Amino acid sequence: MSKLIVNSYEEFASHLGRQLGVSEWLQVDQERINNFADATLDHQWIHVDEARAKAESPYKSTIAHGYLTLSLLPYMWNQIIEVNNLKMMVNYGMDRMRFGKPVLTGSRVRLVTTLNAIENLRGICKAQIGFKIEIEGEKKPALEGEATFLYYFTNL
């Protein structure tokens, strides 16, 4: 799927209720998990101790931190959409977020998004984006929820 280009509030609003796009698959390897553990100071063995995870974890593998999975959202979102004519964009919040399935080390994930709601708040575009981070080969997503972004269009 090609990247969606949005140049105005009206163009964005025309996608209400529709899928906005799907990102490329991204592999979550042990190096990425270890780097995230170092950055967040979360070195729980199920994420970083490969030998112990293989022996003691019900997954027989290390798994990605849930917040690592969430932190991939901006990177994958950028693959889906390009919003032009902005002064700035702000991540306003997350709602109904659920971690459905762990991401085993070596798995590939991708982002699927839908425009759930959009409104003009006195010149600020408030967009509520439904998202699922899918795991390749799995029916249940790793993470799903709704992200709210505020887009400050120069022409709104």
Side-chain angles (χ1 to χ4, degrees), residues 58 79 110 116 137:
Q79 292 179 3
R110 71 177 180 185
N116 289 349

Side-chain angles (χ1 to χ4, degrees), residues 28 30 33 45-48 53 57 59 61-65 68 102-105:
V28 181
Q30 191 63 53
I33 294 168
W45 67 267
I46 201 158
H47 304 303
V48 296
S57 165
Y59 311 111
S61 169
T62 53
I63 61 172
H65 305 71
L68 167 56
V103 177
L104 277 60
T105 303

Side-chain angles (χ1 to χ4, degrees), residues 64-129:
H65 305 71
Y67 289 123
L68 167 56
T69 304
L70 173 63
S71 76
L72 297 172
L73 195 145
Y75 170 76
M76 294 187 288
W77 176 239
N78 190 50
Q79 292 179 3
I80 292 171
I81 192 168
E82 178 181 320
V83 183
N84 298 317
N85 302 314
L86 292 178
K87 297 175 198 171
M88 68 176 170
M89 188 274 286
V90 175
N91 179 353
Y92 191 64
M94 298 281 177
D95 294 299
R96 294 184 292 282
M97 194 174 72
R98 299 285 182 266
F99 294 100
K101 191 163 185 69
V103 177
L104 277 60
T105 303
S107 296
R108 295 189 335 153
V109 297
R110 71 177 180 185
L111 177 64
V112 179
T113 61
T114 303
L115 181 57
N116 289 349
I118 188 166
E119 59 185 311
N120 179 348
L121 303 174
R122 298 177 309 280
I124 301 167
C125 170
K126 180 181 177 185
Q128 293 172 271
I129 310 299

